[in-house]
Amino acid sequence: MMLFKLSLKNIKKSFKDYAIYFFTLILGVSIFYIFNAIDSQTAMLSVSESTHELMKLMTQMLSGVSVFVSFILGFLIIYASRFLIKRRKKEFGVYMTLGMSKGKISKILFFETLLIGVVSLIVGLGIGIALSQIMSIVVANMFEADMDKFTFVFSSAAMIKTILYFGIMYLMVMIFNTLSIGKCKLIDLLNGSKHSEKVKLKNPFICIAIFVIAVVMLGFAYYNVTLGVTNIAEFTDVIWQMLIGAFATFLIFWSLSGLLLKLCMSIKKVYYKNLNMFTLRQINSKINTTVFSMTVICLMLFLTICILSSALSLKNSMTANIKKLAPADFQVAKKYDLKPDEVVGDYIEAKIADSKISIEETYQNMNVDYDRYFQDAVSFYYYHSPNITLRSSLGSYIDEALKQFKYLRVDTEEDIVKISDYNRLAKLYGMPTYSLEENEYMVIADFNNMVELRDAGLKTQPTLTLNGKTYTLKYDTCQDGFVEMSSNHINSGVILVPDHAVHDNMRYRQFFVANYKANDIAAKKKMEQELLAYDYSKTTLSGSSKLMIYEASVGLGALVTFIGIYLGIIFLISSAAILALKELSESSDNREKYIALRKLGVDETMLNHALFHQIAIFFGLPLLLAIIHSIFGIQTADYILSTIGNEKLLSSIIMTAIFLGLIYGGYFLITYFCSKNIISEKE
């Protein structure tokens, strides 16, 4: 009981020292609960079956991500405990001097850790339960679900999982603390605060050389993932560029630890102004001893910025694309004139027979009342010719294209559509129509990467030969357009030709696009359910609808966004917490130095300014380099996600900046005020 009371008294006395620890634990607990409670939040929402399946997948993935998150938070808690033990070494030394055994000191730490854990869990769960109600609204908004059944949601499963995971983490911390105290010697505990790092001045010429090498390596990696991204053929190539960038980041911090002080020392007016000499030597000492940590923190911040920006952009872009890329209610297609080896599943003969008739005839055979369901219908064919491939479409640019894209399938037959068919479809979609002379052709595309490639090829004015007749290019660039509805920009190229250029024996695939004969969403959903109820097993029809595309897009966007925000915030908390704890540890170690400065006549304002500048630079350096990395990283992510679009990228970057400001800035301010308390004369 006495040890418990002593533990309680220690926590009250050292509450300001525990501020970062409490803040991190409470944030971790609340975020962990919020994202694991999404399953309960989505259960009350009225959504379609397909959306419900996406929600189920999302909660399963979030549950898996939570395991990874628990490891990060566990490491963070142990790291924070190391700081608290280091901060109180002298106190423990006094206990041992008074005759207290290491076992009893371990029990004090056990009770303190238990109390902190219980309080953090209670407060964190309370905040998490409150904020999860807001998350329910966010989830409903993202999935555009009916909120009529909205009510207060408490997830007992999420609470049990949170308590279980954090209970295991605290148990690990208790074991770690016991082992740490067991290894300590009395002399080390009593003199722990007197140990300080020596400032080692590295050879400036070596530092300059290393810095230049690091900058060149970063430039090489930056180029490869932006301007030279077309040379990257596999995902492993991207990993290699990231590894080069990570190593270059390490070299930059290593060289800065030798250059920063030397550079400032050469500028006398700066170095000898106020407490700059003291501040710069402190910063140099920190960087000198935390090169690896600064590298890891910088890379985690880089991942945070890229993950948050890309995840938020993906959701916004997918939602924005629907109206443009899915303008009709319904589309269905089937490959024409199938061969036996092209058919899978049952009813092979029936499917081969079905592939020889039109989609309209297929619906008649299925007894579907065509006139009851569809209006504004457009039916057309894709045509193929062995003479018209991507190789012939790129003209003399083909050799250069193969140098840039090693795995480009240049012998794939191109999709060809009659100009009259496309114009009928364009009118239905609300897109521009075109005209062609009898010997002209043109290309429509909206997949940015392929548009750039095709435009380079079209500049060479390639001619196409179709059924013995030569056709010349009307436009030397791709025109914006598409045929198949989707949530993404997927049209890599369709060739439009005069109607007489193709024959029926060239038919490859038929498309049927129409609107429903219904005026509101409810009626359209009912019609769609009736259509889906028919037996399609003996047909080769495959299709989708605006409603299906919309639900899939919204669900996928929400899934990626939630996982991105979850990981992004955890990485951000981890980065900021590690920096904060390192700075608090340094402040604790350097308290005697600040006392000495006071004795020399330095006033509190100047001391506080020096401390503020130290912490600002310490927090700012990894963030600055992470932002530079992110400028190129976001471009790479944008390239990879180019089929989806980047219409909302700016707003996503702004949202990411807000997250950074709130969490990273919050840690910075707490660190500053806690450090002020540590170095204060009243300490």
Side-chain angles (χ1 to χ4, degrees):
M1 182 60 71
M2 183 189 73
L3 294 178
F4 180 81
K5 289 180 179 179
L6 185 59
S7 299
L8 189 61
K9 186 177 179 181
N10 284 339
I11 291 174
K12 291 178 181 178
K13 181 184 69 176
S14 306
F15 182 77
K16 291 181 180 179
D17 295 341
Y18 283 104
I20 288 289
Y21 195 36
F22 269 122
F23 186 61
T24 302
L25 288 177
I26 289 168
L27 267 180
V29 169
S30 58
I31 290 168
F32 198 89
Y33 173 86
I34 289 169
F35 281 93
N36 282 281
I38 286 179
D39 187 25
S40 299
Q41 295 157 1
T42 57
M44 67 176 182
L45 301 178
S46 298
V47 294
S48 66
E49 186 177 344
S50 59
T51 303
H52 178 72
E53 289 300 314
L54 276 168
M55 288 181 168
K56 188 177 178 181
L57 174 63
M58 182 182 73
T59 53
Q60 289 172 350
M61 292 185 70
L62 284 172
S63 182
V65 170
S66 292
V67 176
F68 172 69
V69 166
S70 67
F71 279 103
I72 295 176
L73 292 174
F75 164 77
L76 200 57
I77 294 169
I78 290 175
Y79 190 88
S81 296
R82 284 182 60 192
F83 157 71
L84 294 173
I85 291 175
K86 185 177 180 181
R87 177 85 172 92
R88 300 172 59 195
K89 276 186 176 181
K90 190 173 182 178
E91 176 190 337
F92 296 148
V94 172
Y95 288 158
M96 289 180 68
T97 304
L98 295 173
M100 187 178 286
S101 66
K102 290 182 180 180
K104 289 185 177 180
I105 294 174
S106 296
K107 286 181 180 178
I108 291 174
L109 276 176
F110 171 83
F111 287 130
E112 288 182 17
T113 306
L114 184 64
L115 286 169
I116 292 169
V118 170
V119 173
S120 299
L121 272 172
I122 292 171
V123 176
L125 282 171
I127 294 173
I129 291 167
L131 292 179
S132 67
Q133 310 313 307
I134 299 173
M135 181 62 83
S136 298
I137 298 171
V138 173
V139 171
N141 181 59
M142 283 198 167
F143 284 100
E144 303 205 353
D146 184 7
M147 289 290 290
D148 291 341
K149 296 180 181 179
F150 176 78
T151 183
F152 179 86
V153 179
F154 169 71
S155 174
S156 57
M159 186 188 74
I160 292 169
K161 182 184 287 188
T162 304
I163 293 172
L164 178 63
Y165 276 53
F166 277 82
I168 294 171
M169 292 178 210
Y170 294 141
L171 181 62
M172 290 169 59
V173 171
M174 292 171 188
I175 295 170
F176 170 81
N177 289 345
T178 302
L179 293 174
S180 297
I181 293 298
K183 292 179 181 179
C184 288
K185 296 179 181 178
L186 179 59
I187 188 69
D188 294 329
L189 292 173
L190 292 173
N191 296 318
S193 61
K194 296 180 181 179
H195 293 304
S196 61
E197 288 287 337
K198 294 181 180 179
V199 179
K200 298 177 181 179
L201 294 178
K202 298 173 182 175
N203 188 312
F205 296 106
I206 294 177
C207 289
I208 291 171
I210 295 296
F211 184 80
V212 171
I213 291 171
V215 170
V216 170
M217 289 175 67
L218 275 181
F220 175 75
Y222 289 161
Y223 172 80
N224 284 337
V225 297
T226 52
L227 296 176
V229 71
T230 53
N231 296 322
I232 294 177
E234 300 177 359
F235 183 69
T236 51
D237 295 330
V238 178
I239 298 297
W240 272 113
Q241 304 312 315
M242 292 178 68
L243 290 174
I244 291 170
F247 184 61
T249 302
F250 175 82
L251 293 181
I252 282 179
F253 283 118
W254 186 91
S255 57
L256 275 179
S257 66
L259 279 178
L260 195 62
L261 182 59
K262 195 71 177 177
L263 180 64
C264 293
M265 286 175 69
S266 64
I267 308 173
K268 307 297 182 184
K269 290 183 179 179
V270 174
Y271 187 65
Y272 292 111
K273 184 179 180 181
N274 297 329
L275 288 178
N276 286 356
M277 178 171 61
F278 170 75
T279 302
L280 289 167
R281 293 181 75 85
Q282 290 291 99
I283 293 168
N284 184 80
S285 176
K286 291 173 189 175
I287 299 176
N288 204 23
T289 57
T290 58
V291 171
F292 181 75
S293 298
M294 294 284 273
T295 302
V296 172
I297 290 164
C298 177
L299 295 176
M300 287 180 72
L301 288 171
F302 159 67
L303 287 174
T304 297
I305 295 170
C306 290
I307 289 172
L308 284 176
S309 298
S310 299
L312 293 170
S313 174
L314 180 64
K315 168 64 175 67
N316 292 334
S317 296
M318 291 182 77
T319 303
N321 285 342
I322 298 296
K323 187 175 182 181
K324 178 182 177 182
L325 300 178
D329 289 335
F330 177 81
Q331 72 174 11
V332 67
K334 68 175 179 179
K335 193 173 179 181
Y336 193 75
D337 198 14
L338 287 170
K339 304 296 184 291
D341 60 345
E342 295 177 313
V343 183
V344 294
D346 300 325
Y347 307 110
I348 292 177
E349 291 184 2
K351 289 178 179 178
I352 291 174
D354 180 68
S355 72
K356 298 181 185 297
I357 61 176
S358 69
I359 291 174
E360 292 87 344
E361 291 173 308
T362 297
Y363 276 128
Q364 288 176 7
N365 292 341
M366 292 170 60
N367 296 318
V368 174
D369 188 350
Y370 177 88
D371 294 326
R372 177 173 175 267
Y373 290 105
F374 303 122
Q375 63 182 356
D376 308 321
V378 175
S379 179
F380 62 95
Y381 287 92
Y382 272 167
Y383 298 87
H384 274 194
S385 169
N387 296 329
I388 311 299
T389 62
L390 183 58
R391 182 186 294 276
S392 58
S393 300
L394 293 176
S396 59
Y397 186 72
I398 184 64
D399 293 333
E400 185 63 30
L402 286 172
K403 287 179 184 178
Q404 293 184 43
F405 302 94
K406 301 175 185 177
Y407 301 99
L408 192 63
R409 299 174 65 182
V410 295
D411 294 317
T412 302
E413 293 182 14
E414 295 271 44
D415 291 327
I416 304 169
V417 173
K418 291 179 180 180
I419 186 67
S420 63
D421 286 343
Y422 179 77
N423 284 339
R424 287 188 297 115
L425 183 68
K427 287 179 181 178
L428 176 62
Y429 285 172
M431 298 190 304
T433 58
Y434 299 96
S435 63
L436 292 172
E437 298 296 329
E438 65 175 16
N439 65 335
E440 289 181 330
Y441 78 93
M442 61 181 288
V443 181
I444 58 164
D446 65 358
F447 179 21
N448 288 339
N449 297 335
M450 282 302 295
V451 168
E452 292 176 8
L453 177 66
R454 285 186 178 276
D455 283 352
L458 294 179
K459 296 297 182 186
T460 66
Q461 295 290 321
T463 59
L464 299 180
T465 301
L466 196 57
N467 294 322
K469 186 172 182 178
T470 301
Y471 295 85
T472 59
L473 187 64
K474 179 170 185 176
Y475 303 102
D476 63 358
T477 58
C478 293
Q479 302 303 298
D480 184 53
F482 63 94
V483 174
E484 299 179 48
M485 293 196 302
S486 172
S487 60
N488 309 325
H489 298 278
I490 60 170
N491 178 22
S492 59
V494 173
I495 296 176
L496 305 184
V497 297
D499 289 7
H500 63 79
V502 293
H503 301 151
D504 287 350
N505 61 0
M506 297 168 57
R507 289 175 177 174
Y508 174 73
R509 199 176 180 203
Q510 186 186 3
F511 266 87
F512 176 85
V513 183
N515 285 321
Y516 292 131
K517 282 186 175 179
N519 297 322
D520 56 75
I521 296 294
K524 289 181 179 182
K525 284 184 177 180
K526 184 178 179 181
M527 279 192 171
E528 192 161 295
Q529 289 171 354
E530 290 177 6
L531 277 171
L532 292 174
Y534 284 92
D535 181 14
Y536 290 83
S537 62
K538 297 180 182 180
T539 75
T540 56
L541 295 177
S542 62
S544 62
S545 68
K546 179 187 287 188
L547 293 172
M548 291 178 183
I549 293 170
Y550 192 80
E551 288 179 355
S553 174
V554 168
L556 178 61
L559 185 149
V560 173
T561 300
F562 281 121
I563 293 176
I565 291 174
Y566 194 15
L567 287 176
I569 291 177
I570 292 299
F571 282 152
L572 185 55
I573 290 172
S574 302
S575 304
I578 291 170
L579 275 175
L581 292 165
K582 278 189 171 294
E583 184 56 46
L584 290 172
S585 182
E586 289 289 332
S587 297
S588 179
D589 289 343
N590 296 323
R591 184 170 178 270
E592 299 297 329
K593 296 178 182 178
Y594 287 95
I595 292 173
L597 287 172
R598 285 192 188 92
K599 291 178 180 179
L600 292 173
V602 179
D603 61 35
E604 288 297 321
T605 302
M606 193 174 290
L607 283 175
N608 290 336
H609 283 170
L611 181 66
F612 183 85
H613 292 152
Q614 282 181 54
I615 298 173
I617 293 172
F618 197 56
F619 270 74
L621 277 176
L623 179 61
L624 177 62
L625 189 54
I627 290 172
I628 295 171
H629 288 346
S630 301
I631 292 171
F632 299 92
I634 290 172
Q635 289 184 57
T636 307
D638 184 43
Y639 176 83
I640 293 171
L641 301 173
S642 57
T643 58
I644 296 165
N646 59 355
E647 288 89 343
K648 303 292 183 178
L649 186 58
L650 179 60
S651 61
S652 301
I653 293 172
I654 292 171
M655 283 297 297
T656 302
I658 292 172
F659 275 117
L660 274 170
L662 289 174
I663 298 177
Y664 200 73
Y667 269 99
F668 166 72
L669 291 175
I670 292 174
T671 303
Y672 171 64
F673 288 115
C674 288
S675 295
K676 270 181 68 176
N677 176 65
I678 289 172
I679 68 165
S680 68
E681 204 165 13
K682 297 176 182 178
E683 174 76 5

